[in-house]
Amino acid sequence: MPCVGLSKARAKGKASHLIGILLSFWVAVSPALYFHSGEREEKCIIEDIPSDTLITGSYKVQQWDMHEHRFLESAPGLGMFVTITTPTKELLLSKLYGPQGTFSFTSHLPGEHNICLQSNSTKLISFGGSKLEREEYFRLTSEETNNNILRWALAQTLILILVGVWQMKCLKDFFIAKKLV
């Protein structure tokens, strides 16, 4: 699971020592983003960034072990491909990193920058057969529930039709027995 933390720092103008200390404190307490990603699945963060702003991102790829319910170290050769595009869709950064790393860039234009991360794994074996996403488990559960609902609706319809046919047969037999037909 890539753990990504993005922090912003102004690169424009000369700052006093006090502003530098406050900025360092703000960068240190900036929130991190955590998300689950599957094999070769790209996750993008759209961030509205002012011009001349230094962005630093840190990530760590870890594998979730379903049996032990904990994170394991990443498999050898597993890494993260980082792509960053500007608001004008210009490619700012495109680089392959290892299983843990830090990337940084400076925005030259204000606006929404796309920061995309993608695992470089092409084989399920590198994940040790475990699943990296809770989303996948939720999707499978939802699909199973939807299939059960569909089967139940079809069973109800079939039962309703069979009961209707049986009632018509019983009514026909009743009319014949009473000699009304």
Side-chain angles (χ1 to χ4, degrees):
M1 171 180 80
C3 299
V4 179
L6 296 178
S7 58
K8 300 178 188 177
R10 282 277 183 205
K12 183 196 287 193
K14 294 183 179 183
S16 69
H17 187 61
L18 179 60
I19 293 175
I21 291 173
L22 292 175
L23 191 57
S24 297
F25 176 74
W26 183 61
V27 169
V29 296
S30 64
L33 303 172
Y34 296 94
F35 54 86
H36 299 274
S37 177
E39 176 185 16
R40 300 291 295 169
E41 180 182 2
E42 184 177 56
K43 295 281 188 168
C44 292
I45 302 161
I46 300 172
E47 189 71 25
D48 191 15
I49 303 171
S51 64
D52 296 326
T53 303
L54 176 65
I55 303 295
T56 302
S58 299
Y59 69 90
K60 184 175 185 180
V61 179
Q62 291 182 310
Q63 173 181 331
W64 178 254
D65 189 340
M66 298 292 281
H67 301 294
E68 296 182 23
H69 298 290
R70 67 180 184 94
F71 287 104
L72 304 174
E73 291 302 315
S74 61
L78 187 62
M80 193 61 62
F81 191 70
V82 179
T83 307
I84 300 168
T85 55
T86 64
T88 59
K89 304 300 181 207
E90 178 185 342
L91 189 62
L92 196 59
L93 176 71
S94 179
K95 188 174 178 183
L96 177 64
Y97 292 91
Q100 183 174 358
T102 301
F103 59 90
S104 62
F105 68 95
T106 302
S107 63
H108 301 293
L109 297 170
E112 292 183 344
H113 289 67
N114 288 332
I115 303 165
C116 297
L117 300 145
Q118 180 181 25
S119 166
N120 70 339
S121 172
T122 56
K123 296 179 181 175
L124 284 171
I125 208 96
S126 67
F127 290 109
S130 67
K131 296 180 183 177
L132 292 181
E133 300 176 78
R134 271 190 293 186
E135 294 172 28
E136 182 178 1
Y137 174 74
F138 180 73
R139 182 182 55 80
L140 291 174
T141 303
S142 297
E143 286 178 0
E144 183 180 340
T145 302
N146 289 339
N147 285 335
N148 289 340
I149 290 170
L150 178 65
R151 280 190 223 117
W152 179 245
L154 291 174
Q156 284 180 331
T157 304
L158 182 63
I159 290 170
L160 184 64
I161 290 171
L162 290 175
V163 167
V165 169
W166 178 74
Q167 284 180 340
M168 286 191 304
K169 183 187 177 312
C170 289
L171 191 59
K172 181 182 174 186
D173 291 344
F174 174 76
F175 288 142
I176 291 173
K178 295 293 180 179
K179 297 181 185 179
L180 297 173
V181 177

